C-alpha cells in the first residue's frame, strides 16, 4: 500500500450509526444501533473511482429518511441492513481523488452517519464557498431543504404578490424558508404546526401573517376558512391526508399545490383517504410533486437569492441542534413525533477553524 | 309590438324538458318533466340585450349536467327548479339582435332543452362554418367535448411520440378523441370502458392499442401492470376513485394526469378514498384539473387540427343518437349507468337544408 510504514498513524476510530434493516413506517430508536470501527485517513492509491474522504461535522435529520427494499434506480437508500444510515451532511475533506475537491475543502451533500465517510456519489456533493453564515445552515436553509423550498415555491407554485399561501409543517426545515420567501414576495402567508410554541415562533420570529396549531382544530376546513376567507392560491404540502382534504375545499381557482412530502402518512399502514380531488377540476388546480434530486442545477441561483437575505437579516432560521452521533437515533425519531423545534441537525465534530 | 298584426302567425308550440329541482348525485328521470309552452318566432323589438333566437336541432347529453344551489359565478347552471335544462346544442338562428349572428346561421353553444331558445349568453355561442361533416358532430367531437379533449391532451399533458397514454371512460364523448389524437402523435394508447362491446369498438374501430372492461377486473392495479409493464406517462382522468388510485401506482417519473372529470364519484354521498397521492412526490407527477370554459380561445386552432383528420377519415367518432326531446330524460340518465354506446345526443328537429 502507498501509505507503507505510516499506515498505523493514519488509522482512526470511526463511530457509526447503522440501520438494522429496511424500515416500514417511521423509524424507531430500536431500528438503529451504534458501533465503532476504524478507518484510514487516506484513500487507497488503487482506488479507481473519484472518491472523497470526508470528516463529517454536521448531519441532517430529514423526514424522508427511511428505507425500502428495491428503491428506484438513482434514489439514495437511507436505511439498509447493517449499513451506516445515509443522509445529508456537512463535512471537511480529508483526502480526495476527485479533481474538484481537495483536502481542507468544506462540503455538503449525501454522506453517512459516521465520523468519517468515503463519498463516491460526488454528483450530490457541493463545495461550500460562503462561510460568513453558520456552517450548519448547509444542512438546512442553505442545503437540500433550502433548495427544496426554493424549487417548490418558485418553480412549481410561481407566486405573485398578493397571493394567499398556506404551508403545512411550516416550522420544518423546508416550511420556514417557504413562508419567509413568500412574505418577501408580498404574499399573505399562513402556516400550520404541531405545537403552540411553534405557532408563536412562526408569527413572532419568522414573520408569518398567521399560524395555527393543527392539533387544536378538530375541523381543519373551518380553521382554513377563518384564515383564508377568500381561499388559498398556493398550498405547500408537507403532510398529506386530512389536511390536504381540507385544503382542497379551500383552494381558489387556478390554485397550485406543490407536493413536497406527506409526513403524516409515512407511518400509516394505509394512507388516509383523500376525497376532495374533484376540486381539482372545479377550480382548475395544478398539483405537482417534486424532489430536489433533479433540481441541483438550480443551486447557484438559489444561493444568489437566499444568501443576501440571510446576511441582511431578512430571513431567520431556527435550528434544533443535537450533540453527538450517540443522540442521532433519538433525534431522528423525534422528527416524526414533532418533538423537534426547528430544523434538526446533529453535531458530529466541532468545526475547528 | 313590432310584429303587429302578424303576431299570431309567428307564435309556435315549444316543447321543453324542465328540471324539478337542483340535483344531488346523478339525475333520475323523475327529476325532469316535459311541458309545452308557446314562443314567438321573433325577438321583441324592445329587447335590449344582443340576444339570439335559435331553433334547436341537436342537444348534447354530458356527464357534468347536474345542478347545485349557489354555483360559482360564471358557471352555467344546468338544472334549476322549473327551468328548462341547460346544455350544449346545435341550432339554427331564427332571429337575432346580435350583430355577429343572422337568421339562417347554424350555431353551437349553450342552449336549453326545448324546441326554441332565446340565447343571451352569446359568449359561448359559435357560428358553424364547416358543414361538410355531420352537423351533430358539433355536440361532440367538434364541440365542447372535442375542445375538452384537445385542451386536456395538448395543453395539459403535452404528449411526446412513444409515450404511454391511458384514458378512462375512453369511449365517452371526450375519451374517443383523446385516444385517437394520441395515436396520431405516435403514442401507445390504452383505454378502459364499462362493457365488452365498447372495448371491441375502441380496439377495432378507433385504433386503440389495447382496451379493457374495468368491470371485469377486480384488481385494477394488476390490469394496468399488464397493459403498461413500463408504466404510464399520461393519464386522462374521467372517472376518479379506485381507478385513479390504481393509476397512481403505475405512473412513471414525470407523468402527467389531466383531470377532466370524475364520473364514478358524482353519485356518491362521499367520494371514494384516494390513498396513493404520495406517488406524486415519488414520481414527480403533475396532476391538473381543467375545464373548457376558459379555453374557448383555442377553438379555431382545435378545428384546424381536428377537421382535416375527420375529412381524411383518420379520426372516427361514434355517436349514440336518441330521437326526440321526449326521450331526453332517459338518455341523460343512461349516460351515468353507461348504457350509452358513444357520444349521446338528442335529435330535436331534422336539419332540413
Amino acid at each position: 500500500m502507498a501509505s507503507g510504514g505510516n499506515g498505523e498513524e493514519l488509522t482512526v476510530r470511526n463511530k457509526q450509526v447503522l440501520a438494522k434493516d429496511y424500515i416500514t413506517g417511521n423509524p424507531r430508536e430500536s431500528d438503529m444501533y451504534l458501533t465503532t470501527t476504524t478507518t484510514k485517513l487516506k484513500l487507497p492509491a488503487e482506488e479507481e473511482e473519484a472518491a472523497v474522504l470526508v470528516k463529517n461535522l454536521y448531519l441532517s435529520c430529514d423526514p424522508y429518511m427511511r428505507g425500502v427494499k428495491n428503491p428506484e434506480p438513482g434514489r439514495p437508500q437511507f436505511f439498509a441492513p447493517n449499513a451506516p444510515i445515509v443522509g445529508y451532511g456537512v463535512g471537511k475533506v480529508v483526502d480526495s481523488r476527485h479533481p474538484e475537491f481537495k483536502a481542507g475543502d468544506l462540503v455538503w451533500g449525501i454522506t453517512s452517519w459516521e465520523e468519517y465517510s468515503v463519498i463516491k456519489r460526488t454528483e450530490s456533493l457541493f463545495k461550500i464557498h460562503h462561510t460568513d453564515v453558520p456552517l450548519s445552515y448547509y444542512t438546512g436553509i442553505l442545503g437540500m431543504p433550502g433548495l427544496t423550498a426554493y424549487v417548490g415555491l418558485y418553480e412549481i407554485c410561481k407566486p405573485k404578490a398578493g397571493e394567499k399561501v398556506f404551508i403545512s409543517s411550516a416550522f420544518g426545515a423546508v416550511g420556514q424558508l417557504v413562508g419567509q420567501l413568500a412574505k418577501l414576495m408580498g404574499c399573505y402567508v399562513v402556516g400550520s404546526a404541531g405545537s403552540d410554541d411553534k405557532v408563536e415562533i412562526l408569527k413572532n420570529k419568522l414573520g408569518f401573517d398567521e399560524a395555527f396549531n393543527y392539533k387544536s382544530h378538530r375541523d381543519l376546513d373551518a380553521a382554513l376558512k377563518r384564515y383564508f376567507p377568500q381561499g388559498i392560491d398556493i398550498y405547500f404540502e408537507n403532510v398529506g391526508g386530512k389536511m390536504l382534504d381540507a385544503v382542497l375545499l379551500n383552494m381558489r381557482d387556478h390554485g397550485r399545490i406543490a407536493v413536497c412530502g406527506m409526513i403524516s402518512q409515512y407511518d400509516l399502514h394505509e394512507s388516509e383517504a383523500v376525497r376532495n380531488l374533484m376540486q381539482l377540476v372545479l377550480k382548475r388546480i395544478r398539483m405537482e410533486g417534486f424532489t430536489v434530486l433533479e433540481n441541483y442545477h438550480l443551486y447557484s441561483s438559489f444561493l444568489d437569492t437566499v444568501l443576501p437575505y440571510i446576511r441582511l437579516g431578512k430571513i431567520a432560521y431556527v435550528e434544533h441542534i443535537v450533540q453527538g452521533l450517540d443522540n442521532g437515533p433519538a433525534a431522528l425519531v423525534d422528527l416524526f413525533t414533532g418533538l423537534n423545534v426547528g430544523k434538526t441537525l446533529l453535531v458530529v465534530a466541532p468545526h475547528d477553524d
Side-chain angles (χ1 to χ4, degrees), chain A:
Chain A
M1 288 185 50
S3 52
N6 297 330
E8 264 178 271
E9 293 161 33
L10 295 169
T11 298
V12 291
R13 285 164 46 100
N14 189 14
K15 191 184 284 189
Q16 300 179 311
V17 182
L18 295 95
K20 286 189 187 157
D21 204 341
Y22 303 104
I23 294 183
T24 331
N26 295 339
R28 294 154 302 181
E29 284 195 55
S30 59
D31 292 325
M32 298 167 257
Y33 65 99
L34 280 117
T35 189
T36 298
T37 176
T38 58
T39 192
K40 287 203 195 299
L41 287 188
K42 207 146 186 63
L43 290 164
E46 69 274 18
E47 176 76 71
E48 285 182 25
E49 290 184 82
V52 177
L53 174 67
V54 160
K55 179 182 183 186
N56 293 308
L57 303 174
Y58 301 106
L59 292 170
S60 180
C61 294
D62 293 299
Y64 50 78
M65 290 175 70
R66 56 195 56 254
V68 290
K69 285 183 191 178
N70 310 315
E72 284 181 73
R75 299 199 149 254
Q77 178 62 293
F78 300 102
F79 274 72
N82 300 310
I85 291 166
V86 169
Y88 283 85
V90 169
K92 189 174 191 172
V93 176
V94 175
D95 191 16
S96 171
R97 298 190 66 84
H98 190 292
E100 286 175 29
F101 299 98
K102 62 176 197 304
D105 282 350
L106 291 166
V107 292
W108 75 269
I110 294 179
T111 182
S112 298
W113 281 33
E114 55 193 353
E115 290 174 284
Y116 295 92
S117 296
V118 175
I119 298 176
K120 295 182 177 178
R121 283 180 58 140
T122 48
E123 71 278 10
S124 48
L125 199 65
F126 294 83
K127 211 183 285 194
I128 294 173
H129 297 287
H130 308 280
T131 53
D132 57 325
V133 290
L135 198 56
S136 58
Y137 275 16
Y138 290 92
T139 66
I141 188 170
L142 292 176
M144 192 277 309
L147 182 57
T148 302
Y150 178 85
V151 169
L153 187 66
Y154 291 121
E155 301 288 312
I156 307 284
C157 297
K158 299 183 173 66
K160 292 188 279 289
E163 286 195 315
K164 320 292 181 200
V165 178
F166 178 55
I167 303 156
S168 57
S169 199
F171 200 50
V174 176
Q176 291 185 45
L177 181 56
V178 173
Q180 292 178 88
L181 287 175
K183 276 302 294 174
L184 286 164
M185 290 198 68
C187 296
Y188 167 80
V189 177
V190 179
S192 65
S195 78
D196 294 343
D197 288 352
K198 293 177 184 177
V199 165
E200 279 311 300
I201 302 173
L202 285 170
K203 289 198 286 191
N204 299 328
K205 187 176 165 72
L206 302 184
F208 281 53
D209 292 292
E210 292 287 351
F212 66 90
N213 179 350
Y214 70 89
K215 293 178 181 166
S216 311
H217 293 274
R218 281 181 59 114
D219 186 342
L220 292 172
D221 177 34
L224 290 170
K225 282 193 168 44
R226 188 185 323 156
Y227 293 109
F228 294 96
Q230 300 167 290
I232 299 167
D233 293 295
I234 289 174
Y235 174 44
F236 202 97
E237 162 70 301
N238 287 308
V239 303
K242 291 186 189 75
M243 181 65 90
L244 174 58
D245 234 9
V247 167
L248 283 166
L249 295 175
N250 288 280
M251 292 297 287
R252 298 177 82 174
D253 282 0
H254 300 286
R256 289 135 275 158
I257 301 178
V259 190
C260 179
M262 295 189 168
I263 195 170
S264 74
Q265 305 300 299
Y266 298 154
D267 199 32
L268 304 176
H269 173 64
E270 184 177 57
S271 294
E272 280 176 358
V274 175
R275 299 187 191 272
N276 296 327
L277 288 169
M278 188 56 201
Q279 298 293 322
L280 297 182
V281 186
L282 298 176
K283 295 167 181 169
R284 289 131 287 152
I285 295 165
R286 176 164 53 85
M287 187 168 171
E288 190 164 349
F290 71 100
T291 72
V292 86
L293 293 176
E294 48 212 352
N295 286 291
Y296 284 137
H297 61 284
L298 297 172
Y299 186 64
S300 68
S301 60
F302 155 73
L303 275 190
D304 291 346
T305 303
V306 174
L307 265 175
Y309 286 136
I310 294 176
R311 286 174 178 144
L312 291 168
K314 294 199 177 225
I315 287 184
Y317 200 61
V318 180
E319 297 180 318
H320 180 75
I321 299 175
V322 177
Q323 296 292 333
L325 269 177
D326 305 66
N327 295 313
L332 185 59
V333 169
D334 285 353
L335 197 64
F336 294 91
T337 47
L339 287 179
N340 62 313
V341 177
K343 158 67 192 163
T344 305
L345 66 103
L346 221 53
V347 182
V348 184
H351 177 224
D352 44 16
D353 54 351

